Amino acid sequence: MIISVQNEKVKSWNKLKKKKDRMHSKTFLIEGFHLIEEVHTSNWTINEIILQENIDAPEYSKIYPVTIVSANVFKNISNTKSPQGIAAIVQVNQMEWKDFQNVLLVDALQDPGNLGTIIRTAVAAGFDAVILGENTVDMYNDKVIRSTQGTLFHIPVFQEDLLKKIPELKRDGFTICASALKNATFFQEANTEGKIALIVGNEGAGINNKILEMADTVVKIPIKGKAESLNVSVAAGILMYHFSR
């Protein structure tokens, strides 16, 4: 059992709290029974399970390497206020582009909770994939992962330069639909037939103008009460359900 926070393995786990170290090692850390079970039932790879002393291991953990640690060590590596005593090191998955019909493009979204909720909603709405543009929060940020409630492991999520990806999508027959408030038509009037690539943007600034100019159509959601706009994750959810019909 590991009892020291100075242990080299503990130090390597803590490094995964930083994006650059996650990118370098191509691994990331997740916590909690539910998230780990979601990975176990997906096509992602668990490299190692970290279990706090006196915590019962799930039955499936027998097929993975398991490291037992003290309560103090687990608290040291945990990102949550009330840790469940189980974590895992997961290998970054190589996504494969397929013949998708509905994809969501995310431009420069900053809030991890918003991104996690959007990914979770994309799965629920039946979207095929999510593409994260540059300057969007890292998909392996622990708050993003927790907000997805494990759905991250059941939908392909790509990281691309949207200015380069959008022309590829157009050549592949996608209609590019952007969400914005200005020079937009109500989403109910938009054509929902064929392949749809829906773009949502930054919480404050919206979609980058260069990206917005590449859209085939721009849509907005009617605001009936005294509110200027909707939270981006709520707006994305409404639009994804509409376009996935």
Side-chain angles (χ1 to χ4, degrees), residues 2 6-14 48 66-67 77:
I2 297 177
Q6 298 304 318
N7 182 279
E8 289 304 314
K9 290 197 77 171
V10 178
K11 290 180 180 179
S12 69
W13 297 333
N14 271 320
E48 179 180 16
V66 177
T67 300
I77 66 170

Side-chain angles (χ1 to χ4, degrees), residues 25-68:
S25 67
K26 292 183 170 53
T27 61
F28 58 100
L29 185 144
I30 64 171
E31 287 185 62
F33 287 95
H34 175 68
L35 284 178
I36 296 171
E37 185 171 359
E38 289 295 320
V39 180
H40 170 68
T41 59
S42 73
N43 63 350
W44 292 63
T45 300
I46 294 175
N47 287 352
E48 179 180 16
I49 289 178
I50 305 160
L51 195 67
Q52 181 181 314
E53 58 180 328
N54 300 322
I55 298 294
D56 292 332
E59 185 67 24
Y60 61 77
S61 67
K62 294 178 181 178
I63 67 174
Y64 303 109
V66 177
T67 300
I68 309 297

Side-chain angles (χ1 to χ4, degrees), residues 177-187 198-201 205-209 212-213 215 217-222 229 235 239:
C177 181
S179 172
L181 295 175
K182 295 181 179 179
N183 302 317
T185 58
F186 289 126
F187 73 93
L198 171 65
I199 314 172
V200 295
I207 299 170
N208 178 285
N209 284 334
L212 194 59
E213 289 171 1
T217 182
V218 180
V219 297
K220 62 182 179 180
I221 299 168
S229 62
L239 295 174

